[in-house]
Amino acid sequence: MDKRFDVVVVGDINADLILSGDVTPVFGQVEKLLDDAGLLIGGSATIFACGAARLGLRVAFIGKVGDDVFGRFMREALAGRGVDVSGVAVDPAVKTGLTVILSRVHDRAMLTYAGTIGALRYDEINLDLLSSARHLHLGSYYLLENLLPDVPHLFAEAQRRGLTVSLDTNYDPAERWDSGIAETLRHVDIFLPNETELARILRLDDWRAALAQAAQTVPTVAVKLGAQGAAVQQGSEFVQKPVLPVTVVDTTGAGDSFDAGFVYGHLQGWPLERTLALAMACGACSTRAAGGTAAQPTLEEALALAG
């Protein structure tokens, strides 16, 4: 409890331009009118960081942005939500990443310009921040191109300094599903994929079989199952819960808010079932408004929904 931060987060930091309505584009110079548009906090890791801070955790962020409008927007937005951004590097030679999200009520498509997302290097990470924290979370693993070879070393260093480690790989745009993931998972305490990511990484069609196999390497594996809810396995203990009833506006970042709730429960030393319930409540609450952070719940709000 003498640590300065509860969680230090490493990963993607980029803006999200969310377009909603009839978002299916028609080429041939056809112009369509949409229902809404907004520039919001984007990036799996940054949405996680905001969700964790909203729950009351002390959070620091490590990433890279460009010296541009989107980079300044992201640093100011994170700081405004109580996230320490002293570990965010600014590179004037590269543009800040941007994701355009074509959002429907129950689905979305994403177009991403990686920019600075893949530019973060291991030598740009302030390792002193690790010593100041209890837990390390990394998001968007497959997008961190320059950091990928050193992720196992980063995780091992964090564990050497007494931190626990969580990982949400997110989707692999190249669909290779490798990039050293097997070695990386050997240094992970909590693995947080969705069912598609888990099946692709383990190369198994059945998520239940993939979960059981992953749990042989990683102490705790929690898988997000969309409309089927979520499940977690820790050794021989298995818990699955159905989805919680909320009015869904936008699913952007729901999995990242789930992660924040799960890490909160882990840091509190809660039982697995209670931790999963909080994670699901955080994910469900986040879908009540457009964007990944606008409807992220406080701890009290999440506990009320979790029951």
Side-chain angles (χ1 to χ4, degrees):
M1 295 303 295
D2 58 347
K3 299 288 187 179
R4 182 182 174 194
F5 299 109
D6 296 303
V7 184
V8 60
V9 184
V10 177
D12 52 332
I13 171 171
N14 61 278
D16 275 354
L17 176 59
I18 300 181
L19 308 177
S20 58
D22 182 3
V23 295
T24 302
V26 178
F27 288 91
Q29 303 186 51
V30 175
E31 182 176 6
K32 298 178 69 174
L33 298 180
L34 302 178
D35 295 339
D36 197 11
L39 183 64
L40 304 170
I41 291 174
S44 173
T46 41
I47 293 172
F48 169 91
C50 291
R54 181 73 169 156
L55 291 171
L57 296 176
R58 299 162 300 165
V59 182
F61 195 90
I62 295 173
K64 179 183 274 193
V65 296
D67 186 13
D68 51 31
V69 171
F70 292 146
R72 288 188 287 275
F73 167 77
M74 287 302 300
R75 282 184 292 148
E76 292 170 4
L78 286 175
R81 285 162 174 77
V83 176
D84 184 286
V85 293
S86 61
V88 176
V90 179
D91 187 345
V94 188
K95 295 178 182 179
T96 302
L98 176 69
T99 294
V100 178
I101 299 173
L102 308 179
S103 179
R104 295 172 173 170
V105 174
H106 296 291
D107 197 8
R108 65 189 187 275
M110 293 171 284
L111 303 170
T112 295
Y113 163 70
T116 50
I117 294 174
L120 179 68
R121 303 187 310 272
Y122 182 76
D123 60 14
E124 294 175 302
I125 293 176
N126 179 4
L127 295 178
D128 289 339
L129 281 175
L130 298 185
S131 298
S132 301
R134 302 165 58 199
H135 182 85
L136 170 67
H137 177 80
L138 186 142
S140 288
Y141 171 83
Y142 290 107
L143 297 181
L144 303 176
E145 183 177 352
N146 284 353
L147 186 61
L148 273 179
D150 295 303
V151 171
H153 179 61
L154 172 64
F155 284 1
E157 181 63 23
Q159 291 176 325
R160 187 185 71 80
R161 296 179 187 228
L163 285 75
T164 48
V165 174
S166 59
L167 171 67
D168 188 341
T169 61
N170 302 101
Y171 200 81
D172 180 7
E175 299 200 4
R176 292 188 297 265
W177 302 103
D178 188 5
S179 301
I181 188 64
E183 175 62 21
T184 295
L185 288 175
R186 282 192 275 270
H187 301 283
V188 172
D189 299 289
I190 305 171
F191 184 30
L192 297 159
N194 65 31
E195 60 180 314
T196 298
E197 295 153 0
L198 179 65
R200 298 287 177 84
I201 289 169
L202 274 295
R203 305 189 186 282
L204 294 169
D205 293 332
D206 179 65
W207 70 264
R208 186 66 183 89
L211 176 61
Q213 184 170 317
Q216 295 177 15
T217 300
V218 182
T220 303
V221 184
V223 58
K224 293 156 277 193
L225 303 171
Q228 297 180 63
V232 59
Q233 184 155 343
Q234 189 177 78
S236 60
E237 184 179 1
F238 172 80
V239 179
Q240 183 174 0
K241 288 184 174 293
V243 69
L244 293 169
V246 295
T247 300
V248 175
V249 174
D250 179 18
T251 60
T252 300
D256 307 311
S257 293
F258 173 100
D259 296 350
F262 200 94
V263 168
Y264 183 95
H266 160 75
L267 289 173
Q268 301 306 311
W270 287 357
L272 205 57
E273 186 163 350
R274 188 182 185 196
T275 297
L276 181 61
L278 179 70
M280 294 186 65
C282 289
C285 284
S286 76
T287 68
R288 300 171 300 174
T293 63
Q296 286 178 319
T298 63
L299 180 61
E300 292 75 17
E301 289 171 335
L303 288 174
L305 181 60

